[in-house]
Amino acid sequence: MHASRDRATVLHSSGVDIRLVKAPHSAGRRPSFVGDFDWDDTEARRAAANRNSAAYAPAPRQPGMDALFEVEYPGAEQAVLACRDVFIVWGAELDSGLTAGWLGLPAMNANHWLAVTQLWWDEPTPGQATIIGIEPRPNDDSTFGHRPVPAPSIKLKPRHAEGS
């Protein structure tokens, strides 16, 4: 296994590329996997989604099959094994410090994903300190460190002229 970094961290292992992806800050730990992700923002993400979409080509629907309630594609369980680009998506709530993570297969489809499954969801521990409900303070000199900023004491001394 080895890792690379070119605007993103990617782990390369046994022919699978695992890319670390941060969910949008505004989504916290609850990103919309349909609306919050767009692979057009970076060439590397778009290329990964294109590779998975090309690899995941399940057998076409058989003529005469009823498509109204079709959920599974014939051969999908084998086709998904050809997908080699995996994204670990993580999100965080700054006010609580809690995080969540998912494993997903990016794709170039309307949903942007072939599949997503949750890896973890932090729960607050009893007695865990959070800053929920505390109003943020403006970042100015009056609140820096919750105490006044010390003012330097400057005293000017006259220079003696050379030769005096």
Side-chain angles (χ1 to χ4, degrees):
M1 176 185 289
H2 70 282
S4 63
R5 180 154 170 73
D6 179 29
R7 292 186 55 192
T9 301
V10 182
L11 305 174
H12 309 278
S13 178
S14 302
V16 175
D17 289 345
I18 303 168
R19 182 175 304 274
L20 303 180
V21 177
K22 170 74 172 80
H25 170 71
S26 60
R29 291 190 303 157
R30 299 185 186 282
S32 165
F33 284 91
V34 175
D36 284 339
F37 297 93
D38 180 10
W39 309 135
D40 290 331
D41 58 349
T42 68
E43 179 58 38
R45 290 181 184 184
R46 183 174 44 252
N50 277 325
R51 284 190 299 270
N52 278 352
S53 293
Y56 182 78
R61 192 169 57 86
Q62 300 298 317
M65 288 180 67
D66 184 6
L68 181 61
F69 296 105
E70 183 178 316
V71 176
E72 296 182 19
Y73 292 99
E77 60 279 351
Q78 291 301 316
V80 76
L81 296 176
C83 295
R84 311 309 288 165
D85 290 276
V86 179
F87 287 6
I88 294 180
V89 177
W90 64 278
E93 295 172 349
L94 294 180
D95 58 352
S96 68
L98 300 175
T99 65
W102 301 267
L103 186 68
L105 295 173
M108 293 303 286
N109 60 26
N111 294 329
H112 303 292
W113 300 93
L114 292 174
V116 176
T117 189
Q118 189 168 5
L119 293 175
W120 78 88
W121 181 269
D122 286 346
E123 294 293 340
T125 57
Q128 178 180 1
T130 63
I131 57 172
I132 296 173
I134 296 176
E135 290 295 318
R137 298 176 140 206
N139 189 11
D140 62 17
D141 289 346
S142 66
T143 60
F144 180 77
H146 305 289
R147 64 182 185 271
V149 176
S153 175
I154 301 173
K155 294 181 181 179
L156 300 177
K157 294 181 182 179
R159 266 194 195 178
H160 295 294
E162 285 188 40
S164 28

